[in-house]
Amino acid sequence: MENLKTAIIDIGSNTIRLVLYSYNKNEGLREFGNIKTVARLRTYILPNGEMSEEGIQLLADTLNSFRLILTDYEVEDVKAAATAAVRQAINNEVIIRRMEEATGIKIDILSEEEEAYYGFVAVAHSMNTPSAVTIDIGGGSTEITFFIDKKLQKTISFPFGTVSLKQMFVKGTIINHEERTKLRAYVTDQFRSLPWIQDVAFPVIGIGGSARNIAQVHQQKTNYPLSGVHEYTMKEKDLEGLRDYLTQLSFEQLKQLDGLSSDRADTIVPALEVFLALLSVVGTDTFQVSKKGLREGLIIGRVLQGNSKAYNKYNVFEESARQLAQAYGRTEEEVQTLAELTKQFYEACCSLQLFDYNQADLELLIKGAKVYAIGEYIELDSSSQHTFYLIANQSLPGLSHIDRVKLALLASYKNRDYFERFAQPFESWIVKEELKKLRDFGAVLKFVYALNMTKRNVVKRIGMKNNEDDELVIDVVTSERAIAERTQVEKQKKHIERVFKKNIKIVFNEEGRN
């Protein structure tokens, strides 16, 4: 699949959302439009199990408004998927027929298994967590999956969500302590009915709007220094503290709370209780958030059908790094050259015991090499600042938030002063010894980057030895003359002289010449 411009209409129990996507090999999956209507279709299910005429008309009006937006964006490829509210309505066949007649949009009702599966697909292809229990709590259903080493083991869908739980347990606008206790006991019993998640001790990954809002509120409350919630990690005590804080607020205060969508003001605490109940049953204190969910899973599944190599769930960052580098003007050949030279340089250093070989360190260095100085694309003089900001402040599939910071520190390295300035807000995240290692590795990347100054990929091999004067001699083999590279590395060698505490001599040799 070379190019795709498509839309997903996600008809949930709480919200109806239109999301516009484009996909191509170079840029990957990109969201370029996102429109949400809070419909709460779950509340239009009558005691006899039918969706009321009012609910059906609301759905039709929403889809017709979306159809106009699709026309404006010139998007013709559309997939509309309905989940719990329509699935649970006993008149769903009538609803589907009427929507097609009234709007021209054909709706697919996802089964419980499909809804859970596509959530797993999104998580597996956008996060680096190898094994986990996922939970996607919507308005009318809750999907649980369990995967080990990125292989799906079990799925289940419970017929309750934030809206239906509120209907079941909450008499007023927001939940009180007694109602919370009853709700918590109920969902805990439901989760305990699943022997395959009990005490597995893997992280719990939250999918969907409730999880994202909880992460956003926590970030606001803690003055979190990074942007984005994808792969954001919270501990059980963080969720408990957030619940205790939110239960002290009135409904009006909740609606005004930064990070919390006003339409979730009455359901956010029930959602927190559900997440805490699951953590307890799973036997973990780690809660991670995925920004990618059902909609992304549907698109990823479709792309993989056309190109099975478009995504690699076992090396998620590789594809996102390639797209990031390309977005900021770096060719694949240049990326591969920098990665290979970095590998050669590190291994040569280890052979002389300048570094202790560590596979994880090498992998981190290669990641840094691929995106080093991408900020040059914006402005050469302030490349370091732009590089740090670009990497630290966008979700990069396959990287945790702390790994994003480490990568940003490496790839933006200019000198020690800049490094310390960028690292200062994160000193509590990274121990002193590791910060020193990152600083040294940043100097290595700066030197290696200079070896490809003209971006002609003329440097082919790097060797290293000590001479009789106890100098470190770096042998550089090129395929043709490399005057600019020679000049640049002479300027930059001072950074690695500080790292190795040695004088460095650089010798260039052109292939085929004595």
Side-chain angles (χ1 to χ4, degrees), residues 342-378:
T342 298
K343 180 175 183 289
Q344 291 181 23
F345 190 94
Y346 178 74
E347 290 176 344
C349 288
C350 292
S351 70
L352 295 179
Q353 298 182 322
L354 297 170
F355 292 133
D356 294 325
Y357 184 85
N358 181 292
Q359 184 64 28
D361 287 346
L362 176 57
E363 290 173 0
L364 178 60
L365 269 167
I366 290 174
K367 287 176 181 176
K370 291 179 176 180
V371 293
Y372 184 82
I374 58 172
E376 284 183 357
Y377 185 83
I378 299 173

Side-chain angles (χ1 to χ4, degrees), residues 135 137-138 161-162 165 175 183 187 209-211 214 239 264 266-278 287:
I135 175 169
I137 180 166
T162 54
L165 286 172
I175 196 167
L183 184 152
V187 295
S210 292
I214 285 167
L239 293 178
R264 296 186 186 274
D266 58 341
T267 60
I268 196 67
V269 173
L272 269 166
E273 290 293 356
V274 174
F275 293 142
L276 283 165
L278 184 59
F287 181 75

Side-chain angles (χ1 to χ4, degrees), residues 324 330 368 371-379 382-394 407-413 422:
L324 181 64
R330 191 151 297 169
V371 293
Y372 184 82
I374 58 172
E376 284 183 357
Y377 185 83
I378 299 173
E379 187 178 35
S382 54
S383 167
S384 181
Q385 296 97 314
H386 288 304
T387 299
F388 184 85
Y389 185 86
L390 286 170
I391 295 173
N393 287 285
Q394 64 176 302
L407 183 66
L409 288 170
L410 275 180
S412 65
Y413 187 87
F422 293 150

Side-chain angles (χ1 to χ4, degrees), residues 166-346:
K166 185 191 175 192
Q167 290 175 318
M168 290 167 64
F169 292 98
V170 183
K171 293 179 181 177
T173 305
I174 55 177
I175 196 167
N176 62 37
H177 179 76
E178 182 182 353
E179 291 165 344
R180 280 196 294 117
T181 302
K182 291 179 179 179
L183 184 152
R184 177 74 171 267
Y186 170 77
V187 295
T188 298
D189 285 344
Q190 300 298 308
F191 294 150
R192 281 180 178 157
S193 70
L194 308 176
W196 42 272
I197 65 168
Q198 289 191 37
D199 298 319
V200 293
F202 290 132
V204 168
I205 298 175
I207 303 169
S210 292
R212 291 194 302 271
N213 273 254
I214 285 167
Q216 288 165 185
V217 172
H218 189 255
Q219 288 178 344
Q220 290 282 341
K221 192 170 182 293
T222 58
N223 294 315
Y224 194 66
L226 294 184
S227 62
V229 299
H230 189 61
E231 300 203 51
Y232 184 62
T233 298
M234 301 171 68
K235 293 298 183 182
E236 185 177 28
K237 61 180 175 58
D238 296 323
L239 293 178
E240 291 172 339
L242 191 59
R243 176 202 59 196
D244 294 343
Y245 167 69
L246 295 177
T247 53
Q248 296 173 14
L249 304 180
S250 68
F251 181 58
E252 289 302 319
Q253 288 173 320
L254 286 168
K255 287 199 295 184
Q256 298 300 318
L257 188 64
D258 287 342
L260 180 62
S261 297
S262 58
D263 57 280
R264 296 186 186 274
D266 58 341
T267 60
I268 196 67
V269 173
L272 269 166
E273 290 293 356
V274 174
F275 293 142
L276 283 165
L278 184 59
L279 288 174
S280 176
V281 172
V282 170
T284 182
D285 72 342
T286 301
F287 181 75
Q288 298 176 325
V289 177
S290 173
K291 188 182 177 184
K292 315 295 184 184
L294 171 65
R295 295 180 292 275
E296 288 77 14
L298 287 165
I299 294 290
I300 290 170
R302 185 172 172 189
V303 170
L304 287 170
Q305 284 181 340
N307 177 9
S308 62
K309 295 181 180 179
Y311 292 91
N312 180 0
K313 65 184 178 182
Y314 296 106
N315 193 353
V316 174
F317 177 73
E318 183 69 24
E319 181 63 14
S320 58
R322 187 188 68 78
Q323 292 165 5
L324 181 64
Q326 196 159 59
Y328 292 98
R330 191 151 297 169
T331 67
E332 289 196 35
E333 186 181 6
E334 185 184 356
V335 168
Q336 291 309 312
T337 294
L338 292 171
E340 178 58 29
L341 293 180
T342 298
K343 180 175 183 289
Q344 291 181 23
F345 190 94
Y346 178 74

Side-chain angles (χ1 to χ4, degrees), residues 440-465:
D440 291 348
F441 284 175
V444 166
L445 291 182
K446 186 174 178 66
F447 180 82
V448 171
Y449 190 70
L451 287 168
N452 201 35
M453 177 69 181
T454 61
K455 306 186 188 306
R456 294 178 299 145
N457 310 301
V458 297
V459 174
K460 301 304 178 184
R461 293 188 302 281
I462 303 173
M464 208 175 285
K465 62 189 176 188

